Amino acid sequence: MRFFDEMHASSAHADKQVRDHYQTYSRWLQRQPGELMASRRAEAEMIFRRVGITFAVYGDKDEDGSGTERLIPFDLIPRIIPSHEWQELDKGLKQRVTALNRFLQDIYHGQEILKAGVIPAEPVLHNAQFRKEMMGLSVPGGIYSAIAGIDIVRACNPDGSGTYYVLEDNLRVPSGVSYMLENRKMSMRLFPELFAEHRVAPVAHYPDLLLDTLRALAPASVNEPTAVVLTPGMYNSAYFEHAFLAQQMGIELVEGKDLFVKDDFVYMRTTRGPQRVDVIYRRLDDDFMDPEVFRKDSTLGAAGLLRAYRAGNVTLANAFGTGIADDKSIYPYVPRMIEFYLGEKPILQNVPTHICREKADLQYTLDHLAELVVKEVHGAGGYGMLVGPAATEAEIEDFRRALLANPANYIAQPTLSLSTCPTFVASGIAPRHIDLRPFVLSSGKSVQMVPGGLTRVALKEGSLVVNSSQGGGTKDTWVLEN
């Protein structure tokens, strides 16, 4: 399989030509001794550990039975995107997130897209992520997903050029933005001379944009809204990010036990008495938010949140029910949403997808399991999937049985030739597969993002799985300004 090399114009010949936007960096890299790069990597690891930039891995257990804390490996070599490519990505991402918010508004109100037959009703209305409690509830600005993380990959075309595709939409509680910010700080600390030679677009203002977005979505009657970050607590895998963002925005980090609802208003407990809360940036799933409505045994949220939400006295970012729009069973229909709601052709294409609930697609998938990536529609984090070319015969047969038992639970896609980027590994500098997660903010008045996003890298040779829970790392992402 041929891969698009982000740094070199040809990966098929020994005399690889460095792409224009990597020329300055390549010359610098050639001058760096391997021992120096290794020492800088050790320095980065020490700083990240000292700061506490870790994530929990639920499947791994320490001796006391608790989840292990790991560093997400930081790779020293940045992923560089030229200005003209980012401009196209920026337009495509804004278009896509706008259409997804329009879809959510429609699905919980008139359901015009279903009536028009553009999307079949069954995978929407019978989906576990569809929240009937949201029917008829209007949200500020029509924005259901104020913070979206859209996963982008670049595949190699037959002529050697590369094309960006959207691999996945994350509209519920997308994570990873803290690593984007911390990676940039680390790059600037370790290699300040590089930023004097490159015009790299800044990302440090993301917390300001996020806070502006949250405040813009506050109930209309509130002049000086109080926003909080709601976390499940310190044992959550992304707790570092929750605390980091609250600190960066200068707002309170709260748990469910810190909140209560009275007369359909939300308050947080403080040392000075109750304080009204107008916007909740929530970092836990629907099921745990309100035991009055969803899981009765949840102690992570606060009873009555949906009542306060329905009364228009608090805004949730993101809204209940956003999961229906990022479910993998709905993903194949996003290009149709863009045309239906915006009257435009999609700027960014989906990965070609076989919908296994459809008879012909199921048969094709069963016939080509060894060549395809098969995903559970509710799966996440690289789990619940089959990577056909890397699977054993036994694993393929297990998935065949699962597909036949419940075909609607799966989609299938070709094994993409994810692009590679030079990465500093134990053996030296070697290509490793990457993706990109930009973070898109919608306030109802604007759709915006900082240039770049989180580049994730599959550190294992040949691996296409970039998820941190499966051994992946991260890179700084540089978008070059003109």
Side-chain angles (χ1 to χ4, degrees):
M1 185 179 291
R2 192 175 182 187
F3 306 111
F4 183 88
D5 187 320
E6 296 286 341
M7 187 171 178
H8 301 102
S10 173
S11 57
H13 303 94
D15 56 340
K16 297 186 241 184
Q17 191 71 31
V18 176
R19 299 186 189 279
D20 288 346
H21 57 286
Y22 264 103
Q23 290 280 353
T24 301
Y25 183 84
S26 179
R27 287 192 293 270
W28 175 88
L29 185 61
Q30 289 171 8
R31 299 194 300 267
Q32 308 309 306
E35 311 83 63
L36 175 66
M37 295 292 282
S39 70
R40 294 289 170 85
R41 180 173 61 184
E43 182 182 348
E45 183 174 328
M46 177 193 69
I47 294 169
F48 278 145
R49 196 173 294 282
R50 185 187 302 153
V51 174
I53 304 174
T54 61
F55 73 102
V57 183
Y58 299 127
D60 295 348
K61 300 293 183 183
D62 286 331
E63 291 180 2
D64 64 358
S66 63
T68 60
E69 291 283 326
R70 286 192 199 162
L71 288 176
I72 296 182
F74 167 67
D75 182 57
L76 302 176
I77 301 176
R79 188 249 186 92
I80 303 178
I81 301 174
S83 175
H84 69 276
E85 286 186 8
W86 176 253
Q87 289 171 11
E88 195 70 5
L89 282 170
D90 181 89
K91 287 191 293 185
L93 289 162
K94 289 175 178 176
Q95 178 196 60
R96 190 176 181 96
V97 171
T98 298
L100 285 164
N101 270 308
R102 292 279 294 274
F103 168 72
L104 286 162
Q105 172 76 14
D106 183 21
I107 285 303
Y108 290 118
H109 291 82
Q111 301 185 345
E112 299 301 325
I113 199 166
L114 304 185
K115 293 173 183 174
V118 175
I119 297 178
E122 200 275 336
V124 176
L125 301 181
H126 296 158
N127 195 298
Q129 297 302 320
F130 179 76
R131 302 295 184 189
K132 64 182 185 300
E133 297 86 357
M134 289 295 292
M135 286 299 297
L137 196 162
S138 295
V139 301
I143 300 300
Y144 288 74
S145 183
I147 304 101
I150 310 297
D151 291 347
I152 303 287
V153 296
R154 176 141 61 174
C156 191
N157 299 319
D159 64 359
S161 63
T163 299
Y164 286 110
Y165 292 94
V166 175
L167 182 65
E168 195 169 291
D169 303 296
N170 299 282
L171 306 180
R172 302 176 220 186
V173 283
S175 63
V177 76
S178 61
Y179 303 107
M180 174 191 81
L181 296 168
E182 289 294 300
N183 287 352
R184 175 60 53 83
K185 285 165 63 177
M186 184 60 68
S187 292
M188 295 179 75
R189 175 183 180 130
L190 296 178
F191 309 114
E193 69 278 13
L194 282 170
F195 288 85
E197 297 183 43
H198 295 82
R199 294 191 61 187
V200 182
V203 298
H205 58 296
Y206 175 86
D208 296 331
L209 293 183
L210 176 58
L211 184 57
D212 288 346
T213 298
L214 297 175
R215 286 178 168 163
L217 292 169
S221 59
V222 180
N223 293 323
E224 293 293 331
T226 296
V228 299
V229 177
L230 174 60
T231 177
M234 63 182 296
Y235 296 109
N236 183 265
S237 61
Y239 180 73
F240 163 78
E241 176 159 297
H242 307 164
F244 174 87
L245 288 174
Q247 188 269 331
Q248 292 290 307
M249 289 189 286
I251 63 178
E252 294 294 331
L253 178 70
V254 300
E255 298 182 31
K257 62 188 178 185
D258 301 317
L259 302 177
F260 67 94
V261 177
K262 182 179 179 182
D263 299 329
D264 293 345
F265 287 91
V266 180
Y267 298 88
M268 66 174 159
R269 297 178 173 90
T270 76
T271 55
R272 299 177 301 279
Q275 181 179 351
R276 182 176 160 183
V277 173
D278 307 299
V279 184
I280 299 174
Y281 176 24
R282 53 133 177 168
R283 297 300 299 257
L284 61 156
D285 292 334
D286 289 359
D287 286 342
F288 302 99
M289 286 289 290
D290 186 347
E292 279 187 6
V293 183
F294 304 119
R295 281 187 55 159
K296 310 300 183 190
D297 61 343
S298 174
T299 58
L300 300 177
L305 277 178
L306 183 62
R307 282 190 284 109
Y309 195 29
R310 279 197 166 278
N313 295 328
V314 70
T315 298
L316 299 178
N318 290 332
F320 291 133
T322 54
I324 186 63
D326 71 10
D327 189 85
K328 291 182 180 67
S329 66
I330 302 302
Y331 162 89
Y333 303 108
V334 178
R336 298 187 196 177
M337 293 179 201
I338 293 170
E339 296 197 26
F340 183 78
Y341 295 116
L342 307 181
E344 301 169 358
K345 294 291 183 184
I347 296 169
L348 294 173
Q349 298 300 320
N350 274 15
V351 176
T353 301
H354 304 284
I355 306 168
C356 295
R357 68 169 55 250
E358 297 181 4
K359 188 174 181 180
D361 282 9
L362 173 62
Q363 190 58 54
Y364 180 88
T365 300
L366 292 169
D367 291 343
H368 297 85
L369 273 177
E371 306 160 24
L372 298 172
V373 175
V374 186
K375 302 176 181 178
E376 286 184 346
V377 294
H378 304 310
Y383 296 101
M385 63 189 288
L386 173 80
V387 181
T392 65
E393 287 188 20
E395 288 168 337
I396 289 173
E397 290 311 308
D398 283 346
F399 248 81
R400 186 184 305 279
R401 286 190 287 272
L403 268 167
L404 288 168
N406 187 7
N409 197 43
Y410 296 93
I411 61 169
Q413 296 171 331
T415 307
L416 279 186
S417 53
L418 266 62
S419 66
T420 64
C421 187
T423 301
F424 189 70
V425 295
S427 59
I429 296 173
R432 291 292 185 267
H433 296 289
I434 58 170
D435 76 354
L436 175 68
R437 177 176 290 180
F439 296 90
V440 187
L441 301 175
S442 305
S443 68
K445 299 173 183 175
S446 65
V447 182
Q448 55 188 333
M449 67 200 86
V450 296
L454 179 67
T455 291
R456 301 184 297 177
V457 54
L459 294 173
K460 298 175 185 174
E461 185 175 2
S463 174
L464 297 172
V465 182
V466 299
N467 304 79
S468 55
S469 57
Q470 309 244 354
T474 66
K475 288 174 170 285
D476 194 6
T477 308
W478 295 4
V479 172
L480 300 183
E481 296 180 321
N482 282 330

